[in-house]
Amino acid sequence: MPVPSGADVDVIAVTGACAQERSSCARGIAEAQGFVFVPADQTGQGLETVDRAVDLMRKSIHVQGLVLEYPIGVPVMEIVGSLTAPDAGTRLIDLVCVLDVGCLLADLDSEEFIRLPLIGDADDGGVIASKAELIVAQIEFASTIAVVNGGSLRPRALERATSLVSKLAPWAERRLVANPCDVHGRDRSDGLHSPSGKTYSQQPPNAGWVSILNQELPSQRQSCVVEAIRYEQYRPFHPGRLHHALNTCLFHGHRGHILRSAGFARLASRPRITAQWDQVGRIFTLSPLALDDSLGAEDELLAFGQDLAFIGTGLDEVRLRQILDDAALSDAELAAGPMVWANFPDEFPAWSTTAT
């Protein structure tokens, strides 16, 4: 029978960097669930395509829901935001990331950029995004991860790749599949099987770095192959020393390989601003996230100083902490106050003071 008027349409979203495996997986899920399949070449055209598909669903018979396949150029945050908006008319029950582990480590170390599709009549000059960041976001936001092409790796390399995935997305259900069509079976008609039994819309999973900062990383996700470290420091960073560390020893000269780091940071030269620290492989950004002055009486600071999560292999935790501590203000610098901090050398890109 048709979807009742006013009822939300069940949706499974499928992401992935490898088009062939992603498409095969999405089609297989649609067939197994009895859902309508909407391919990436249509969803990539913008929200209007999804809206039309939802409207058609309400008029269809014997159709249970939609499987929306998305091209890599559509950021996963936009996918989740559009499908979980109060007026979207959709119930996101699962977000599947189809992950080719044979390419994973190379992709995360890539400096390739992808041009994002223009949405509607937008004319933004052509926005580009880091492929590595797009892939990591897909992993971190996923509730189900279909690990494909594992047979292309030797056992040790496969263990490293799957261990990394478990750190990036500790709450996602991981399935090592030989055939991408086998991700969802008939027994998964209720969508996401989270520990609470809720769908994605009701309880999105936390990214690994968030779980590390909250000290909620599941014990079964602990591994000596890929390590996770939380760094806390209440003093702001000296912008000059932090910039030097980032370009010389933190990601390049530091023993081990930092694959992913994220969290909250503060620069002494830019007081009252909490910044988002975001690094994937060779790509690093430090961007304004929240202004202290904009907080309400009941709001809490995201961080007083630095609160960062590091995920990588062969990490020297003592050396890592030393590098970051050396970049923080000394006793004398801290006592000097913001008037002096404002004159510190600061080579980071300028931030908009309207950050929220």
Side-chain angles (χ1 to χ4, degrees):
M1 60 182 296
V3 176
S5 177
D8 290 342
V9 175
D10 284 349
V11 171
I12 297 174
V14 180
T15 67
C18 299
Q20 181 175 350
E21 286 83 356
R22 183 189 64 226
S23 178
S24 178
C25 175
R27 291 176 184 276
I29 293 173
E31 181 179 356
Q33 302 291 352
F35 283 15
V36 172
F37 170 63
V38 181
D41 60 354
Q42 293 185 34
T43 59
Q45 296 175 14
L47 299 178
E48 296 81 2
T49 300
V50 176
D51 290 340
R52 286 196 297 270
V54 171
D55 289 340
L56 288 173
M57 274 292 305
R58 299 181 186 279
K59 303 172 184 177
S60 301
I61 60 174
H62 305 307
V63 176
Q64 303 300 315
L66 293 171
V67 172
L68 304 177
E69 178 203 359
Y70 287 91
I72 188 174
V74 179
V76 69
M77 294 80 76
E78 294 184 8
I79 297 172
V80 173
S82 65
L83 296 178
T84 59
D87 58 349
T90 53
R91 186 175 77 116
L92 182 58
I93 61 175
D94 205 355
L95 178 52
V96 180
C97 173
V98 182
L99 188 62
D100 185 345
V101 290
C103 304
L104 176 60
L105 296 178
D107 282 341
L108 297 193
D109 206 36
S110 169
E111 294 184 72
E112 178 184 350
F113 284 80
I114 293 175
R115 189 170 300 278
L116 306 186
L118 296 178
I119 303 300
D121 297 327
D123 184 10
D124 49 21
V127 175
I128 61 173
S130 159
K131 179 180 180 180
E133 291 179 313
L134 290 169
I135 292 174
V136 163
Q138 290 182 352
I139 297 171
E140 291 179 337
F141 276 78
S143 48
T144 299
I145 297 178
V147 179
V148 300
N149 295 334
S152 65
L153 297 176
R154 294 182 178 180
R156 180 66 175 177
L158 178 59
E159 181 184 10
R160 183 186 182 199
T162 55
S163 178
L164 171 60
V165 172
S166 72
K167 287 292 195 303
L168 294 174
W171 303 102
E173 178 180 348
R174 289 180 295 124
R175 292 191 167 197
L176 185 63
V177 296
N179 185 344
C181 295
D182 297 335
V183 177
H184 272 236
R186 292 287 180 181
D187 61 328
R188 285 179 54 88
S189 59
D190 58 345
L192 170 62
H193 287 268
S194 68
S196 65
K198 296 182 178 180
T199 67
Y200 194 104
S201 294
Q202 295 170 312
Q203 184 174 310
N206 277 338
W209 68 269
V210 175
S211 295
I212 294 169
L213 297 189
N214 291 340
Q215 297 181 308
E216 296 175 345
L217 196 67
S219 58
Q220 68 269 26
R221 298 297 187 243
Q222 302 293 345
S223 166
C224 60
V225 179
V226 176
E227 301 150 306
I229 296 172
R230 182 186 185 189
Y231 173 79
E232 293 182 280
Q233 168 63 261
Y234 290 111
R235 303 183 181 208
F237 282 130
H238 184 292
R241 290 201 297 273
L242 177 62
H243 193 274
H244 178 74
L246 290 169
N247 285 284
T248 58
C249 55
L250 186 58
F251 299 131
H252 307 286
H254 170 257
R255 186 172 69 83
H257 190 184
I258 299 174
L259 298 162
R260 172 72 167 132
S261 62
F264 310 109
R266 287 185 174 244
L267 296 179
S269 54
R270 307 181 189 194
R272 299 184 299 279
I273 301 178
T274 300
Q276 173 75 54
W277 174 299
D278 201 348
Q279 173 260 331
V280 178
R282 300 169 185 252
I283 308 298
F284 174 84
T285 57
L286 191 66
S287 54
L289 188 61
L291 293 172
D292 294 353
D293 296 343
S294 66
L295 296 177
E298 298 181 357
D299 294 329
E300 296 183 3
L301 293 174
L302 291 173
F304 287 101
Q306 328 306 332
D307 197 1
L308 304 171
F310 292 85
I311 298 172
T313 58
L315 301 182
D316 184 338
E317 183 172 353
V318 173
R319 176 60 178 155
L320 175 62
R321 294 186 182 278
Q322 180 184 352
I323 291 171
L324 294 169
D325 284 345
D326 289 345
L329 296 187
S330 65
D331 290 344
E333 290 167 337
L334 186 64
M339 295 294 289
V340 173
W341 304 347
N343 296 315
F344 287 159
D346 186 340
E347 299 183 52
F348 288 97
W351 292 344
S352 169
T353 56
T354 59
T356 57

